[in-house]
Amino acid sequence: MSTIRDLLKDAMKDEVKVLVYVIRHFLSAGKLNYDDPADKLNDVIANATDEDNQVIGELMEQNPLGIDEIHVYAMKIENGRFAFVFARNEEEATHFFCRVFQQWPKNCHQYPMDFPMAVGFRFRSFRELKREHDEFPALAGIYERENTPPQQKKGWGNEKVH
């Protein structure tokens, strides 16, 4: 059975800001313990007071842990060619794409941060690739489908673009 400790650990790993601060508040208020079953959080949230909500809101705003929810978006450049962009939201990713590629993306889809991508001869998750960047939005890389004609292939680039 999953515990509050497990839930908090996953929330920290996945950078789910609201969940981290909700759990943190209820732990410090004594309404949760690390070894409580994870589903107890639902009951605690259902019985949250206005004061609880205010404190959680302040934690979210102050963000003392510096949690920055960054997502990855696949944006189609042209047939068989995609840019992966790290950004806080789809709008930020689209503006970044337009600035870098001087065109609107043909489409935009959010990908899971743990999605594996082939980089050279190994697989890396977007979460791993994100650690190589200090500023966001940022270009995670360019992906080209295998069936793209050779003259159009440019490979995976994980260089930072500003």
Side-chain angles (χ1 to χ4, degrees):
M1 178 188 301
S2 185
T3 65
I4 293 297
R5 177 180 280 111
D6 299 330
L7 193 59
L8 180 58
K9 184 178 171 183
D10 289 345
M12 291 291 291
K13 180 186 83 131
D14 295 339
E15 299 174 325
V16 183
K17 185 174 163 180
V18 67
L19 186 56
V20 169
Y21 288 127
V22 164
I23 293 172
R24 182 175 181 223
H25 166 69
F26 289 128
L27 284 168
S28 66
K31 296 181 181 185
L32 284 176
N33 293 307
Y34 284 107
D35 295 323
D36 286 340
D39 57 1
K40 182 176 178 181
L41 180 60
N42 292 331
D43 297 332
V44 172
I45 290 172
N47 295 313
T49 65
D50 288 341
E51 183 180 337
D52 290 324
N53 292 331
Q54 181 179 348
V55 170
I56 292 166
E58 289 170 4
L59 284 170
M60 292 282 295
E61 194 172 304
Q62 294 166 358
N63 195 14
L65 299 176
I67 299 170
D68 199 7
E69 291 184 50
I70 300 296
H71 309 281
V72 66
Y73 298 89
M75 308 180 101
K76 189 174 188 176
I77 302 169
E78 59 192 15
N79 260 357
R81 193 161 180 241
F82 301 85
F84 286 92
V85 175
F86 290 121
R88 288 167 189 80
N89 54 51
E90 187 174 328
E91 181 180 355
E92 185 179 69
T94 301
H95 286 292
F96 178 81
F97 181 96
C98 290
R99 193 173 76 236
V100 171
F101 296 100
Q102 301 297 305
Q103 68 181 44
W104 285 96
K106 309 262 187 273
N107 61 27
C108 178
H109 299 285
Q110 186 174 340
Y111 267 61
M113 290 297 285
D114 291 317
F115 188 85
M117 287 297 297
V119 181
F121 292 105
R122 62 187 207 138
F123 284 90
R124 297 181 64 200
S125 72
F126 286 114
R127 190 174 309 287
E128 290 175 86
L129 293 169
K130 181 186 141 214
R131 292 185 191 116
E132 297 175 3
H133 299 277
D134 298 323
E135 298 174 9
F136 300 97
L139 183 65
I142 308 261
Y143 172 78
E144 301 206 26
R145 286 196 183 128
E146 287 298 318
N147 59 359
T148 305
Q151 69 271 16
Q152 292 180 6
K153 287 192 178 207
K154 294 185 175 84
W156 177 266
N158 59 0
E159 64 278 357
K160 190 187 295 186
V161 177
H162 295 280

